[in-house]
Amino acid sequence: MTIATKPQFRLETLWTPAKTDTQAVYALTLTNASDRPLRDFRLCVSGPARIDPAAVVEGGTLLSRLSNHSEFAPPADLVLQPGSTWTVKAHGMSFAPQHWTDGANSAYLVLADGSTAPISVVPSRAHGDNAELKRGAVIYPVPKVAPVAVSIVPWPQEVSVSGRLTPPLGLDLTPEGPEAEAAAQVFSDLTASLFPVEGIVRPVAEGGLPATLALAGDLAQEGYVIRFSPAGVAITGGTRAGLLYGLITLGQILRGARLHPATFLFPAGGDIRDEPALGWRGTHLDVARQFYSTSEVSRFLRLMAWNKLNRFHWHLSDDEAWRIEIDAYPALTEIGAWRGHGRKIPPLLGSGPDVTGGYYTKAAVREIVALAATLGIEVMPEIDVPGHSFAMLQAIPELRDPEEAGSYYSVQGFPDNCLNPVREETYRVLEVVFDELIELFPSKIIHVGADEVPLGAWSGSPQALERLRTVAGDEMAAAHAKRLNVVTNTHGADEIDGSGAAVLQAEFLARVQGFLASRGCVTGGWQEAAHGNVIDKEKSLLFGWRTVEANAELAGEGYDIVVCPGQVYYLDMANSPAWSEPGGSWAGWSDPEKLYLFDPIEGWTEAQKKHLRGLQCCIWSEPMTDRGVFDRLVFPRLSALAETGWTRPERKNFKRFEALVGLMPVLYGFYSEH
Ligand code: TNX
């Protein structure tokens, strides 16, 4: 029998913002709750708020830090008696914490013999703010009276239904032909998985309403028509995906009428004609900062399909981890997929001293890609290079230029995290990686990242400086060399345009794109991939994460673009500025209403709109250290995004959305009343 013991150590963190006469301070208080004195130890913490190397630390010493992992030593000779506390304070953070998830979310002790001891971490507090910390998706109660009689999200193009049937208990599907059979099977699996005991697909004998399914030649790609009659329903679709969408609409109507019969009905006549406004209706998921298992990703894909989202941007590598098996370089996952004390990648963003992480085997990737295809979802993999490559470089240190001197830092505080664009080794390894990816992903769009290369990238690499001299002249190379060892050398975004780093990144991208094009692939990249205007517009797809205007400009220059402005479509951003809300703040805040009402192409000209491929949200996972935070941040904003992608602007209506969205499922099942 094991007996639960109370945690031996506890860490509380408190953020006090600056006032006119006092500096901001971030205080970390360790309590020794054990029955023995604690001496000779170091305190390791991690969490999004980074303690700058330039920070002034009081009450202890900052021994080392890597991105948001910091290691503190107490004053020499400190003995922490049972029940007593030690506080270390930092003045000068990389950014001012704004939300409870910004603070430390994992911590442990390193003891004199090198062993570690766990610390239980209390969610971070802001001075004077005692509001209850939020987790779980906000519940949108279904109202007694809704603005519409049928429940469908995203709202269709044309709904002209009439009459009312006693809500059927389910649907008895009669597909005609192989495509319809496949759609029926997928829908049956999808509903069994999302709503296991509802029996949405069931025979007439169990109360199923007959529904026929068939392809029709005259409908748009993902379009469908549903015709209602008292005796049953007929669905036609332009493709298998169209049929599936018709079934999903019908399933949503049925759930609404069955679960909320006083509010919604099941029609007896009339029809629904539908097709999407935009082709690319996507969501990105960052599986590097937090790992999501195959079963989580699978359920996420099913939720996407239920929202009629059709593109999954799978962010498989970043500084903090590498998540996909590559046969030629097993070290990428052996080293890059795991974090832990004493490993090549330390505990970061909620991971503790023990080894945690994971990666997708090729079998798992195939399974996910196949599941996605059945759900009408194309999967685009992303390997984020040349920046954001700390994990990759830790796994394959030979990729580093042995001559490279000094350090530069990324915006997230990683040192020297970029692949070197002028070394052949870089391309040798990357081409093998890309070939393995191409073999796994039928999508033919390979996203190569290209975001947030630090201003000082490669400023200590003689080879890189030499190349810079050749392509951009002595002055540029000399200016670039001066960026070495600048501690707060960030500006990893459009601000680097025109710098030496941007010139070198452009060279890199041109070569990578050439390679991918030789394999018949389009190169995807974050918007910084346009720096220097060197990539081939015909063979690239940009992901615009900054402003509506910046995206319009890129589209105007002829780049095909998927828009995902961070201030609204980055779902890691909190719902409001309150400390009690989890999430980030750097790009802005957006609640579901703001996201719903946001027009991502406001003011675009017709010429610019020609290059709009669609939109997506991005689920960066730094703050999502607990699954209740994931649910709060992602839902129902995911559905608000889905409706913006599917429903034409003139048919959007937030009041309607608000009344219907409570019926949409979430990933983990964490809910909150407010
Ligand atoms: C910026 S914008 C990033 C990510 C972070 C995200 C957090 C862009 C392409 N990169 O590395 O996770 O901000 O919001």
Side-chain angles (χ1 to χ4, degrees):
M1 189 173 87
T2 52
I3 299 171
T5 49
K6 67 175 177 141
Q8 308 255 296
F9 307 103
R10 191 171 69 241
L11 184 76
E12 279 146 300
T13 55
L14 178 69
W15 167 249
T16 309
K19 299 225 182 67
T20 32
D21 48 351
T22 51
Q23 258 191 309
V25 56
Y26 180 54
L28 303 100
T29 300
L30 176 70
T31 302
N32 180 1
S34 79
D35 51 13
R36 268 179 261 163
L38 175 67
R39 52 166 65 85
D40 264 348
F41 67 92
R42 286 172 284 148
L43 168 68
C44 295
V45 295
S46 81
R50 295 179 296 276
I51 292 146
D52 235 50
V56 174
V57 173
E58 232 184 274
T61 322
L62 180 61
L63 293 179
S64 68
R65 76 125 208 183
L66 183 101
S67 180
N68 54 61
H69 179 267
S70 306
E71 189 182 9
F72 294 96
D77 307 329
L78 178 96
V79 179
L80 200 58
Q81 296 298 340
S84 60
T85 61
W86 162 58
T87 298
V88 59
K89 293 180 178 172
H91 305 274
M93 311 282 291
S94 296
F95 67 93
Q98 303 271 4
H99 300 283
W100 67 269
T101 47
D102 281 336
N105 47 32
S106 73
Y108 58 96
L109 295 175
V110 181
L111 304 170
D113 63 358
S115 65
T116 60
I119 298 179
S120 76
V121 180
V122 180
S124 198
R125 309 273 359 177
H127 186 75
D129 186 332
N130 289 318
E132 190 193 335
L133 303 181
K134 304 289 178 31
R135 292 188 169 80
V138 174
I139 297 174
Y140 279 70
V142 172
K144 287 214 176 62
V145 182
V148 286
V150 286
S151 71
I152 312 164
V153 175
W155 191 251
Q157 218 11 50
E158 230 185 285
V159 178
S160 42
V161 292
S162 55
R164 171 196 290 264
L165 283 189
T166 302
L169 301 176
L171 302 166
D172 180 340
L173 306 179
T174 308
E176 286 160 29
E179 293 300 298
E181 271 164 31
Q185 186 59 48
V186 173
F187 180 72
S188 181
D189 294 345
L190 176 65
T191 50
S193 169
L194 289 179
F195 315 107
V197 290
E198 292 183 25
I200 291 178
V201 175
R202 59 169 72 200
V204 171
E206 292 190 23
L209 180 75
T212 62
L213 279 183
L215 283 183
D218 55 345
L219 295 176
Q221 270 285 317
E222 296 173 298
Y224 65 88
V225 174
I226 308 176
R227 291 193 180 80
F228 294 88
S229 82
V233 180
I235 303 180
T236 49
T239 56
R240 190 196 298 186
L243 285 170
L244 178 63
Y245 288 154
L247 282 166
I248 288 171
T249 296
L250 197 56
Q252 292 182 348
I253 294 175
L254 185 140
R255 292 192 77 236
R258 245 187 84 179
L259 303 174
H260 301 277
T263 308
F264 300 117
L265 58 74
F266 194 94
D271 53 37
I272 292 177
R273 293 166 182 279
D274 201 7
E275 65 182 58
L278 295 173
W280 184 292
R281 305 178 306 279
T283 170
H284 144 294
L285 180 66
D286 167 10
V287 296
R289 275 57 177 263
Q290 311 295 334
F291 181 62
Y292 297 89
S293 64
T294 299
S295 62
E296 290 168 289
V297 173
S298 301
R299 179 169 163 88
F300 185 66
L301 290 169
R302 292 188 176 102
L303 293 176
M304 284 178 64
W306 199 251
N307 282 277
K308 302 195 176 89
L309 292 166
N310 67 354
R311 294 287 187 279
F312 178 51
H313 173 172
W314 204 2
H315 186 78
L316 288 162
S317 79
D318 215 299
D319 292 307
E320 294 86 346
W322 179 282
R323 300 292 189 199
I324 183 168
E325 178 176 37
I326 299 293
D327 296 329
Y329 299 103
L332 284 171
T333 44
E334 279 163 13
I335 291 171
W338 308 98
R339 304 196 285 257
H341 177 68
R343 293 189 60 95
K344 293 265 175 61
I345 309 176
L348 294 164
L349 300 169
S351 54
D354 300 331
V355 177
T356 52
Y359 67 94
Y360 306 99
T361 62
K362 289 201 161 172
V365 172
R366 289 201 177 92
E367 187 188 318
I368 286 171
V369 169
L371 171 69
T374 67
L375 295 168
I377 299 169
E378 187 176 308
V379 184
M380 174 185 68
E382 177 185 355
I383 292 299
D384 198 351
V385 288
H388 285 283
S389 295
F390 183 78
M392 185 182 189
L393 287 161
Q394 291 298 85
I396 315 181
E398 306 79 57
L399 275 177
R400 290 196 186 279
D401 177 356
E403 311 266 286
E404 190 161 343
S407 277
Y408 56 86
Y409 296 89
S410 76
V411 68
Q412 282 95 357
F414 283 93
D416 314 318
N417 69 337
C418 301
L419 302 184
N420 196 309
V422 300
R423 300 185 77 230
E424 279 311 302
E425 288 81 347
T426 299
Y427 301 96
R428 193 165 40 75
V429 173
L430 273 186
E431 287 174 7
V432 171
V433 168
F434 288 139
D435 272 337
E436 291 198 25
L437 285 184
I438 291 165
E439 205 253 318
L440 285 170
F441 293 93
S443 139
K444 295 280 176 246
I445 307 177
I446 304 287
H447 195 300
V448 303
D451 58 319
E452 299 188 326
V453 161
L455 189 59
W458 313 298
S459 50
S461 160
Q463 268 179 281
L465 291 172
E466 182 57 42
R467 176 70 60 84
L468 196 54
R469 213 165 284 128
T470 318
V471 296
D474 290 347
E475 211 175 301
M476 173 78 87
H480 198 54
K482 288 206 190 97
R483 303 218 162 96
L484 193 60
N485 293 331
V486 177
V487 170
T488 47
N489 194 350
T490 55
H491 303 302
D494 274 359
E495 290 92 341
I496 76 162
D497 204 4
S499 71
V503 171
L504 289 166
Q505 159 155 285
E507 291 248 304
F508 168 87
L509 287 176
R511 180 148 167 196
V512 165
Q513 181 175 57
F515 173 78
L516 289 175
S518 78
R519 297 292 197 261
C521 290
V522 164
T523 301
W526 297 105
Q527 71 185 74
E528 297 99 308
H531 288 163
N533 205 13
V534 292
I535 57 169
D536 181 346
K537 298 190 178 76
E538 299 297 310
K539 300 191 179 88
S540 56
L541 179 60
L542 294 185
F543 292 75
W545 58 273
R546 305 205 99 192
T547 60
V548 173
E549 296 74 30
N551 290 339
E553 215 171 288
L554 288 167
E557 288 167 26
Y559 288 101
D560 278 355
I561 191 161
V562 171
V563 296
C564 46
Q567 64 277 22
V568 265
Y569 289 173
Y570 271 18
L571 299 191
D572 55 321
M573 295 301 120
N575 279 274
S576 88
W579 180 268
S580 54
E581 285 289 351
S585 54
W586 70 268
W589 294 276
S590 68
D591 60 15
E593 182 170 8
K594 179 171 164 199
L595 194 153
Y596 187 91
L597 297 175
F598 178 73
D599 176 2
I601 53 166
E602 191 179 354
W604 286 35
T605 64
E606 287 310 310
Q608 289 164 337
K609 284 184 192 163
K610 285 207 174 67
H611 289 284
L612 175 72
R613 289 280 301 277
L615 50 74
Q616 69 175 34
C617 54
C618 294
I619 306 177
W620 299 104
S621 54
E622 288 98 324
M624 306 198 186
T625 49
D626 94 33
R627 288 350 195 184
V629 169
F630 186 98
D631 276 350
R632 184 165 198 87
L633 289 170
V634 176
F635 306 100
R637 293 192 293 184
L638 184 85
S639 298
L641 181 284
E643 187 146 313
T644 307
W646 183 281
T647 310
R648 287 176 205 288
E650 62 279 11
R651 315 228 52 198
K652 284 178 69 187
N653 175 334
F654 183 71
K655 285 274 159 256
R656 179 191 65 219
F657 175 81
E658 204 177 26
L660 303 181
V661 77
L663 278 152
M664 300 299 276
V666 305
L667 188 57
Y668 296 103
F670 291 95
Y671 287 99
S672 164
E673 302 262 327
H674 305 285

